Amino acid sequence: MNKLIALAGVAIFGLSGCVVYADDYDHDHDVVVVQDTPPPPVLNYSPVVLSADAGVYWDDYYYDDIWYFEAEVDDADSPYDVVSVWADVYDEYRGGVLLESFELYPTDDPFIWYSDWLGSTTYLDPFYSGYTVDIVAYDTFDDFDYLTLWAATY
């Protein structure tokens, strides 16, 4: 019977995920303190915007200007750790005012994010040379990186 109790005790301690301390202050009361072990720290690396491009071109099919935004983004955790990429367009000649934000979408290549927009659906002027674009990449832990560039206009 003692062997069975000893084996049960070993099995219980082998399966437990916490540490239990028992202290006898007197023989009438046992004080049990349960202390959970903290989870290990989560290591996360920020994404890195390796390169980016932004600009406008004329499209004869739509008979409209097309604004395009492209980014090459990596993350040391995995390129699949990047969950969103945005292009924030600022007017530098008016003091860096944010004009519009455009979402970029993943492509078949997990490192490349891209989107293009009809010029008639934006507030951007294709002949204005004062636009800077922040390409901002976010990962699953909301860490981010950005790259600023001038938009190519006519």
Side-chain angles (χ1 to χ4, degrees), residues 49-129:
V49 180
L50 301 172
S51 64
D53 194 17
V56 64
Y57 64 89
W58 177 257
D59 187 278
D60 287 329
Y61 179 79
Y62 292 107
Y63 206 69
D64 198 356
D65 296 302
I66 306 292
W67 284 92
Y68 65 91
F69 305 97
E70 182 175 10
E72 181 180 4
V73 181
D74 194 8
D75 193 313
D77 298 314
S78 162
Y80 297 105
D81 188 39
V82 178
V83 293
S84 69
V85 178
W86 289 83
D88 299 326
V89 180
Y90 296 90
D91 186 346
E92 291 301 321
Y93 297 156
R94 292 192 330 176
V97 175
L98 176 65
L99 297 177
E100 283 191 77
S101 293
F102 300 93
E103 186 173 7
L104 280 68
Y105 302 102
T107 63
D108 292 336
D109 184 342
F111 298 95
I112 304 297
W113 293 68
Y114 182 83
S115 70
D116 54 2
W117 304 82
L118 291 172
S120 58
T121 64
T122 72
Y123 295 111
L124 304 179
D125 179 0
F127 296 98
Y128 185 69
S129 64

